[in-house]
């Protein structure tokens, strides 16, 4: 049976990537395109002569590599989806090792020691143990299959449009900053929390900001739908449905402010691209450092242990 076109295209891209990786010595060098501005650059060039982008270590180069692997217009969104699913698998295995995560608890009942060690947002861990990495690692942890299922569906609905609007670097920074700010306020109000919804509400906040800067019936209708969804979500939180309104509200506010600050388009000038790439690298380094610190502290004594 023939594969769908999108999967055939994706397999062809992966095949070409592997051929370049393992047969690079047999290929003739050829000019390249700058991943940021699209200018034709020389065979041995390390920087673009037009915009100054580093051709190997810039966020644009990383984004192009991700595009080659994930074969889509929103590589960061897809990478976030894959990362969340992989870490949920690690979370489940850690819970199973502690004798948890069995039966129906995998649907909406995972927590306890495993999630604390893996970096859930905790006032004790953040303010007493000074484990600030929890503000970011908590974004990739979830309380069960239902939790991660709803969050990943929301990510795939909101992410591609905003990544196309802002560019991958700005989008990545928006998502990570909104989620971290959400957990900062949540932990300050003495809540233990986890999940991607702080970052997701940041995306909603950015979309609300876009609708306030653009006129027309479509923007008004979109804004009305977004506000209705947010109000419904907060009502569920007030009803005691296990929803962290503090993280949601702070993430929403952070996303709205960034949405007001960011131009409603991808970076165009060399200066805009440099700033966007710097924001993307800042978010990427923060994520990598946070997980590295989590691994270093994974076996630390739990609260109450000697």
């Amino acid at each position: 049976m023939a594969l769908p076109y999108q999967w055939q295209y994706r397999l062809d891209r992966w095949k070409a990537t592997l051929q370049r990786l393992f047969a690079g010595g047999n290929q003739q060098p050829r000019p390249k395109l700058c991943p940021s501005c699209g200018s034709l650059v020389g065979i041995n060039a390390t920087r673009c002569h037009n915009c100054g982008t580093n051709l190997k270590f810039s966020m644009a180069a990383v984004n192009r590599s991700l595009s080659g692997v994930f074969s889509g217009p929103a590589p960061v969104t897809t990478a976030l989806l894959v990362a969340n699913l992989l870490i949920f698998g690690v979370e489940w295995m850690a819970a199973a090792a502690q004798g948890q995560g069995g039966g129906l608890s995998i649907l909406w009942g995972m927590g306890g020691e495993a999630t604390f060690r893996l970096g859930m947002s905790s006032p004790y861990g953040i303010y007493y143990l000074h484990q600030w990495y929890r503000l970011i690692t908590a974004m990739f942890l979830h309380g069960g299959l239902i939790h991660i299922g709803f969050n990943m569906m929301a990510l795939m609905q909101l992410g591609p449009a905003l990544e196309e609007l802002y560019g991958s670097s700005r989008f990545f920074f928006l998502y990570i900053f909104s989620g971290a700010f959400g957990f900062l306020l949540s932990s300050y109000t003495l809540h233990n929390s986890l999940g991607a919804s702080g970052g997701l509400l940041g995306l909603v906040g950015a979309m609300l900001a876009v609708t306030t800067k653009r006129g027309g019936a479509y923007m008004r209708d979109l804004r009305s739908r977004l506000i209705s969804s947010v109000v419904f979500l907060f009502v569920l939180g007030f009803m005691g449905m296990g929803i962290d309104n503090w993280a949601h509200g702070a993430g929403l506010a952070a996303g709205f402010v960034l949405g007001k600050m960011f131009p409603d388009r991808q970076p165009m000038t060399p200066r805009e691209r440099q700033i966007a790439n710097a924001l993307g690298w800042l978010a990427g380094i923060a994520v990598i450092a946070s997980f590295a610190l989590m691994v270093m502290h994974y076996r630390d004594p739990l609260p109450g242990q000697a």
Side-chain angles (χ1 to χ4, degrees):
M1 184 175 64
L3 290 172
Y5 169 77
Q6 290 184 342
W7 275 104
Q8 185 62 53
Y9 175 73
R10 185 175 287 114
L11 289 174
D12 290 342
R13 291 287 296 273
W14 289 345
K15 181 179 177 181
T17 301
L18 290 174
Q19 287 177 342
R20 289 195 299 269
L21 180 63
F22 293 107
N26 299 324
Q27 294 181 340
Q28 294 296 323
R30 56 185 182 181
K32 298 168 286 187
L33 293 177
C34 172
S36 181
C37 68
S39 299
L40 187 67
V41 295
I43 295 173
N44 299 317
T46 58
R47 286 188 176 274
C48 175
H49 63 275
N50 183 46
C51 66
T53 297
N54 190 305
L55 301 178
K56 293 184 178 180
F57 301 105
S58 66
M59 181 58 67
V62 173
N63 181 47
R64 172 162 290 189
S65 299
L66 287 175
S67 298
V69 174
F70 295 114
S71 302
V76 170
T77 301
T78 308
L80 287 171
L81 172 68
V82 173
N84 275 277
L85 294 176
L86 289 176
I87 293 171
F88 182 77
V90 173
E91 183 183 353
W92 180 81
M93 289 188 291
Q98 300 295 330
Q100 303 169 350
L104 295 179
S105 64
I106 193 174
L107 296 178
W108 193 294
M110 296 177 62
E113 179 180 341
T115 52
F116 183 85
R117 290 188 179 279
L118 287 170
M120 70 176 292
S121 176
S122 161
Y124 179 85
I126 293 172
Y127 297 107
Y128 183 78
L129 299 178
H130 305 293
Q131 295 174 347
W132 296 95
Y133 63 85
R134 294 178 178 273
L135 299 177
I136 291 178
T137 53
M139 297 175 60
F140 296 87
L141 300 173
H142 290 85
L145 285 173
I146 296 176
H147 190 194
I148 192 173
F150 278 112
N151 279 353
M152 293 305 99
M153 283 191 294
L155 174 64
M156 297 311 294
Q157 288 177 345
L158 301 172
L162 280 172
E163 186 171 351
E164 183 179 357
L165 176 67
Y166 290 132
S168 296
S169 298
R170 284 177 180 162
F171 168 78
F172 188 41
F173 177 82
L174 167 68
Y175 180 84
I176 296 300
F177 179 82
S178 299
F181 186 75
F183 284 126
L184 179 65
L185 184 59
S186 172
S187 61
Y188 184 77
T189 54
L190 305 181
H191 287 80
N192 295 299
S193 191
L194 75 174
S197 47
L200 295 174
L201 264 293
L203 303 185
V204 173
M207 294 184 73
L208 284 171
V210 171
T211 64
T212 63
K213 293 188 288 185
R214 299 185 181 187
Y218 177 78
M219 285 293 130
R220 289 195 299 271
D221 180 65
L222 177 59
R223 182 165 60 248
S224 177
R225 291 175 182 272
L226 289 172
I227 292 174
S228 298
S229 299
V230 169
V231 170
F232 177 72
L233 187 63
F234 276 90
V235 169
L236 291 179
F238 287 124
M239 292 173 62
M241 300 294 291
I243 295 175
D244 188 349
N245 279 346
W246 291 101
H248 288 181
L252 182 73
F256 185 81
V257 171
L258 289 176
K260 283 289 192 180
M261 295 172 60
F262 289 163
D264 297 344
R265 54 172 173 74
Q266 295 201 17
M268 297 180 63
T269 66
R271 178 63 176 170
E272 286 182 345
R273 284 190 284 265
Q274 289 175 355
I275 294 175
N277 289 338
L279 292 176
W281 275 115
L282 178 63
I285 292 171
V287 171
I288 294 172
S290 295
F291 277 97
L293 289 170
M294 180 273 290
V295 172
M296 291 173 57
H297 291 281
Y298 183 80
R299 297 195 179 278
D300 287 357
L302 295 173
Q305 291 183 349

